[in-house]
Coordinates of all heavy atoms in Angstrom, one line a residue:
D73 N 69.4 57.2 108.3 CA 70.1 57.8 107.2 C 69.1 58.8 106.6 O 67.9 58.6 106.5 CB 70.4 56.7 106.2 CG 71.4 57.2 105.1 OD1 70.9 57.7 104.1 OD2 72.6 57.0 105.3
P74 N 69.7 59.9 106.1 CA 68.8 61.0 105.5 C 68.2 60.5 104.2 O 67.2 61.2 103.8 CB 69.8 62.2 105.3 CG 71.1 61.6 105.4 CD 71.1 60.4 106.2
I75 N 68.6 59.4 103.7 CA 68.0 59.0 102.4 C 66.7 58.3 102.6 O 65.9 58.1 101.6 CB 69.0 58.1 101.6 CG1 68.6 58.1 100.2 CG2 69.0 56.7 102.2 CD1 69.8 57.9 99.3
H76 N 66.3 58.0 103.8 CA 65.0 57.3 104.1 C 64.5 57.7 105.4 O 65.3 58.0 106.4 CB 65.2 55.8 104.0 CG 64.0 55.0 104.1 ND1 63.0 55.0 103.1 CD2 63.4 54.2 105.1 CE1 62.0 54.3 103.4 NE2 62.2 53.8 104.6
S77 N 63.2 57.7 105.6 CA 62.6 58.3 106.8 C 62.6 57.3 108.0 O 62.4 57.8 109.1 CB 61.2 58.7 106.5 OG 60.4 57.6 106.0
H78 N 62.8 56.0 107.8 CA 62.9 55.1 108.9 C 64.3 54.6 109.1 O 65.2 54.8 108.3 CB 62.0 53.9 108.6 CG 60.6 54.2 108.3 ND1 59.9 53.9 107.2 CD2 59.7 54.8 109.1 CE1 58.7 54.3 107.3 NE2 58.5 54.9 108.4
Q79 N 64.4 53.9 110.3 CA 65.7 53.3 110.6 C 65.9 52.1 109.6 O 65.0 51.4 109.2 CB 65.7 52.8 112.0 CG 67.1 52.4 112.5 CD 67.2 52.5 114.0 OE1 66.3 52.8 114.7 NE2 68.4 52.2 114.5
L80 N 67.2 51.9 109.2 CA 67.6 50.8 108.3 C 68.4 49.8 109.0 O 69.3 50.1 109.9 CB 68.4 51.4 107.1 CG 67.7 52.5 106.3 CD1 68.7 53.1 105.4 CD2 66.5 52.0 105.6
A81 N 68.2 48.5 108.7 CA 68.9 47.4 109.3 C 69.9 46.8 108.3 O 69.5 46.6 107.2 CB 67.9 46.3 109.8
L82 N 71.1 46.5 108.8 CA 72.1 45.9 108.0 C 71.8 44.4 107.7 O 71.6 43.7 108.7 CB 73.5 46.1 108.6 CG 74.7 45.5 107.8 CD1 74.8 46.3 106.5 CD2 75.9 45.7 108.6
H83 N 71.8 44.0 106.5 CA 71.6 42.6 106.1 C 72.9 42.1 105.4 O 73.5 42.8 104.6 CB 70.4 42.4 105.2 CG 69.1 42.5 105.9 ND1 68.3 41.4 106.2 CD2 68.4 43.6 106.4 CE1 67.2 41.8 106.8 NE2 67.3 43.1 107.0
E84 N 73.2 40.8 105.6 CA 74.4 40.3 104.9 C 74.1 39.8 103.5 O 75.0 39.7 102.7 CB 74.9 39.1 105.8 CG 74.0 37.9 105.9 CD 74.6 36.8 106.7 OE1 75.6 36.2 106.3 OE2 74.1 36.6 107.8
D85 N 72.8 39.5 103.2 CA 72.4 39.1 101.9 C 71.1 39.8 101.6 O 70.7 40.7 102.3 CB 72.1 37.5 101.9 CG 73.4 36.7 101.9 OD1 74.3 37.0 101.1 OD2 73.5 35.8 102.7
S86 N 70.4 39.3 100.6 CA 69.1 39.9 100.3 C 68.2 39.7 101.5 O 68.1 38.6 102.1 CB 68.5 39.2 99.1 OG 67.2 39.6 98.9
P87 N 67.5 40.8 101.9 CA 66.5 40.6 103.0 C 65.3 39.8 102.7 O 64.5 39.5 103.5 CB 66.1 42.1 103.3 CG 66.4 42.8 102.1 CD 67.6 42.1 101.4

Side-chain angles (χ1 to χ4, degrees):
D73 193 275
I75 201 148
H76 189 68
S77 57
H78 299 122
Q79 193 157 0
L80 303 171
L82 183 63
H83 283 256
E84 64 180 293
D85 287 310
S86 172

